[in-house]
Amino acid sequence: MLKIFRRNGNQKGAKLSLGGQEETLEWQGQKIVYSVQGQGRPLILFHGINAASWGFEFRNNIESLSQNHRIYQPDLPGFGRSERLPKIYTAEMYIEFLKDFTRLVVEREGQPPAVIASSLTAAHLIGAVAQSPELFGPLVLISPTGLERLDTAPTEKQGRLYQRLNGPLGDVIFWLLGTRFSTRLFLGRDGYFDPKYMDAGLIEGYHKSARQPNAKYAPISFITFLLNHSVRQEWPEIRQPVLIVWGKEAKITPLRDAYLFLQLRLGTELKIIDHARLSVYDERSVEFNALVQEWLGRQSATRQVKPIGAKAS
């Protein structure tokens, strides 16, 4: 089982630890583990979603970003260090979690935090911001989905597939997806442009996450499209400052997807980083960290979110 450390996440013997101070909360009957470290304006890092997702994907960002920000990094329900209950996970559930966790940070810090989110989680974040805009500060979205990919509601056929994968067949499939070979194959095809960044520590970090008890349930919800979320109606209404970061060589969410985000919401900033794919924040971490620090530094700490319908400045 995962060992949860409420203090000093760097202590010897910690499993799936990201350092800093690890804390837990109970959310809808499920234990959630998150890390806190650094000083400054609050910044939440919400990891993406795949077979072995957890906050480990920010391994090369937390230390740098925490120099100017107080970092909150939760593992989403059903992933990483958080509890993995055997249940159906949905996009609506994750949207509620993002709102509730951000509300916790607002209560602790006294101000809306900036937020970084990747891929499908970025689409869930857009949904959360649209519903509760007062909770959120500036947004950094990494290769978001929700307009041209992972935007259609699951069908009855996909619901039946989920039920099949919920049993022994799913155990076998998920075990195969979580092998080191499969992890390296996925990351080499979709995550990273340059294989030299796929070191042994990277593969092992994801492998350990995929081998936790009940690890299959949230990923099965993902691969059967239960986590899809369309942002077509929500995205144009977002009034927070937004920076989108895209790896130029991305495949699973190709760069051409970025331009519809720009067309539907004027004022959105796009930064393209060469020689990177989906894991641009890890593969090109030095460039990514500097870009985010500079961009967040330009956002006023006292800037108020405009009400829906107000004209952009």
Side-chain angles (χ1 to χ4, degrees), residues 48-159:
I49 293 176
N50 58 50
S53 295
W54 65 297
F56 178 73
E57 69 181 50
F58 295 117
R59 61 181 186 149
N60 288 323
N61 310 117
I62 293 176
E63 182 177 358
S64 175
L65 296 177
S66 66
Q67 294 176 11
N68 295 305
H69 298 274
R70 185 163 176 80
I71 303 293
Y72 289 81
Q73 193 289 298
D75 284 343
L76 299 177
F79 289 101
R81 301 160 296 171
S82 292
E83 190 174 11
R84 307 178 187 218
L85 295 180
K87 66 179 187 179
I88 297 175
Y89 293 80
T90 66
E92 292 74 21
M93 185 208 75
Y94 283 114
I95 289 171
E96 286 301 312
F97 173 75
L98 299 188
K99 290 191 298 182
D100 288 345
F101 186 84
T102 304
R103 185 175 291 108
L104 168 70
V105 174
V106 171
E107 292 171 353
R108 289 181 59 167
E109 298 292 336
Q111 60 179 304
V115 183
I116 298 177
S118 175
S119 195
L120 178 56
T121 305
H124 296 160
L125 177 63
I126 292 169
V129 175
Q131 294 179 20
S132 299
E134 72 283 356
L135 296 175
F136 298 89
L139 310 176
V140 179
L141 309 179
I142 305 164
S143 305
T145 65
L147 288 180
E148 297 184 274
R149 297 175 202 281
L150 303 181
D151 60 323
T152 57
T155 64
E156 183 178 343
K157 180 179 179 180
Q158 290 162 346

Side-chain angles (χ1 to χ4, degrees), residues 25-275:
L25 62 87
E26 184 173 304
W27 182 78
Q28 296 189 3
Q30 193 163 4
K31 290 182 179 178
I32 305 299
V33 180
Y34 61 99
S35 300
V36 184
Q37 63 188 86
Q39 297 296 327
R41 285 181 286 180
L43 172 62
I44 304 176
L45 309 181
F46 287 126
H47 65 77
I49 293 176
N50 58 50
S53 295
W54 65 297
F56 178 73
E57 69 181 50
F58 295 117
R59 61 181 186 149
N60 288 323
N61 310 117
I62 293 176
E63 182 177 358
S64 175
L65 296 177
S66 66
Q67 294 176 11
N68 295 305
H69 298 274
R70 185 163 176 80
I71 303 293
Y72 289 81
Q73 193 289 298
D75 284 343
L76 299 177
F79 289 101
R81 301 160 296 171
S82 292
E83 190 174 11
R84 307 178 187 218
L85 295 180
K87 66 179 187 179
I88 297 175
Y89 293 80
T90 66
E92 292 74 21
M93 185 208 75
Y94 283 114
I95 289 171
E96 286 301 312
F97 173 75
L98 299 188
K99 290 191 298 182
D100 288 345
F101 186 84
T102 304
R103 185 175 291 108
L104 168 70
V105 174
V106 171
E107 292 171 353
R108 289 181 59 167
E109 298 292 336
Q111 60 179 304
V115 183
I116 298 177
S118 175
S119 195
L120 178 56
T121 305
H124 296 160
L125 177 63
I126 292 169
V129 175
Q131 294 179 20
S132 299
E134 72 283 356
L135 296 175
F136 298 89
L139 310 176
V140 179
L141 309 179
I142 305 164
S143 305
T145 65
L147 288 180
E148 297 184 274
R149 297 175 202 281
L150 303 181
D151 60 323
T152 57
T155 64
E156 183 178 343
K157 180 179 179 180
Q158 290 162 346
R160 291 195 299 269
L161 176 60
Y162 174 86
Q163 294 302 324
R164 291 189 63 190
L165 296 182
N166 199 36
L169 176 61
D171 293 335
V172 174
I173 291 175
F174 187 76
W175 188 91
L176 292 172
L177 288 175
T179 63
R180 293 178 180 86
F181 174 81
S182 294
T183 299
R184 184 175 292 277
L185 183 66
F186 167 74
L187 293 176
R189 182 191 63 206
D190 298 320
Y192 291 79
F193 175 75
D194 189 337
K196 75 179 181 182
Y197 292 102
M198 295 168 48
D199 55 47
L202 176 71
I203 303 302
E204 196 63 24
Y206 284 118
H207 176 72
K208 286 182 179 179
S209 179
R211 289 297 182 250
Q212 301 302 319
N214 291 330
K216 75 173 184 177
Y217 291 99
I220 283 176
S221 296
F222 167 56
I223 65 177
T224 54
F225 304 102
L226 299 185
L227 304 187
N228 283 11
H229 181 69
S230 172
V231 302
R232 188 170 290 271
Q233 300 301 318
E234 300 161 336
W235 172 242
E237 303 302 317
I238 300 300
R239 293 294 175 259
Q240 279 75 2
V242 180
L243 171 67
I244 294 181
V245 181
W246 223 288
K248 185 176 181 180
E249 282 75 31
K251 289 184 174 181
I252 195 169
T253 49
L255 177 58
R256 64 178 179 270
D257 289 5
Y259 299 107
L260 185 55
F261 279 92
L262 301 184
Q263 292 171 14
L264 294 181
R265 183 186 179 276
L266 299 180
T268 303
E269 296 185 50
L270 171 66
K271 296 295 183 182
I272 302 168
I273 297 181
D274 292 337
H275 309 301

